[in-house]
Amino acid sequence: MPIITTIADLKRLHKRRTPKMFYDYAESGSWTEQTFRENTSDFDLIRLRQRIAVDMTNRTTKSTMIGQDVAMPVALAPVGLTGMQSADGEIKAARAAEKFGVPFTLSTMSICSIEDVAENTTKPFWFQVYTLKDDDFMQRLFDRARAAGCSAIIITLDLQILGQRHKDIKNGMSAPPKFTLASMADLATKWGWGIEMLQTKRRFFGNIVGHAKGVSDPSSLSSWTAEAFDHALDWDRVAQLMKMWGGKVILKGILDADDARKAAALGADAIIVSNHGGRQLDGALSSIRALPAILDAVGDKVEVHFDGGIRSGQDVLKALALGAKGTYVGRAYINGLGAMGEAGVTKALDIIHKELDTTMALCGRRDIRDVDRDILLVPKDFEGAWM
Ligand SMILES: Cc1cc2nc3c(=O)[nH]c(=O)nc-3n(C[C@H](O)[C@H](O)[C@H](O)COP(=O)(O)O)c2cc1C
């Protein structure tokens, strides 16, 4: 086993252990993948101010996200098909998050169901919903999330239609997957993954199969997914869904200041500045470049969260220093899960925490809630490069 000290180490191991079809599904963006790449590379444009001779004792990374205590302001983002990266992946990730003291978000498109995760954890998690046409199904999802004790829902607004992802099409990555000769040959070399997968019953979309109208078995899934998403979604519908849930709501997929104002006006508990990890509109701004304008527009009206491109604790610190109150990681924890299961998710969180704490200290700060733009050196045209 190689010595693992970075998220990049976990990513290498993830690639080695997991079938190509599922690894590529995680490690790809839409079209040319420009936005996917810039989500990470734009972080490198921001530099940190080294400070010296500052008392660094008694440091803390503790904070809150939507009023909930967190060991560090880093939640696990909703990621579909997590249970295909490692058997029962959602349960493993939720357990790791719970032990670490950070929020876990379950995707609508998870393999383990809401009930599976609730039965195998002890603390409330967050549930992410896509905006679907079928009101009865939405209502039932909310009822199930409530019964499972979910303390907030995240409504994802940037996937009314699916951005085209070339790797997925070429790999036959659909619901259910279409296996080709090449993918079967690849599967045969990933026997560790395969043995674990044979030992679990959880191999299909647990929140959908047997729950959505007309989806009694996995083969009917692809026609359901093509039909189910609400192409007519507008802000009135968002308000209606928020009312249907009635509890804490986080609106995800905001990349534009005008949209941020609309989301804040609806009374959301938080918004997430996000471009879906570069998987939707290719050519859109990276999340970190979009963040300052959104904070200027609504930073005093709604809690602003951030995701996209975080691969280290330094990236987390940069987003927080710009003004985000909380962050989410997607691929960083999926790399850990695919590499080493639950222990890998814990490892990913440990790595990010260590980097966050050390970098904060070297910037002369002791409390994560006190970091601000003063610790950053941001290029003059970082926000205004495009009109
Ligand atoms: C493989 C994969 C599946 C995803 N599935 C969902 C999903 O089901 N729902 C959702 O709201 N976002 C989904 N996302 C987006 C993430 O929640 C998050 O916005 C993104 O991963 C952040 O970028 P990062 O991976 O660079 O951290 C997915 C992302 C990935 C990589």
Side-chain angles (χ1 to χ4, degrees), residues 12-29:
R12 272 189 290 279
L13 210 52
H14 177 197
K15 186 172 187 180
R16 207 184 307 157
R17 284 189 50 103
T18 311
K20 182 177 185 311
M21 163 186 273
F22 299 117
Y23 175 82
D24 281 355
Y25 167 68
E27 284 300 331
S28 59

Side-chain angles (χ1 to χ4, degrees), residues 25-26 39 77-80 107-109 128 130 156 252 274 276-277 279 307-311 328-332:
Y25 167 68
N39 266 355
V79 171
S107 163
T108 309
M109 305 308 280
Q128 173 264 332
Y130 280 117
T156 299
K252 177 171 186 277
S274 172
H276 217 103
R279 299 162 75 77
D307 81 21
I310 292 176
R311 301 291 182 271
Y328 299 72
V329 287
R331 295 174 183 91

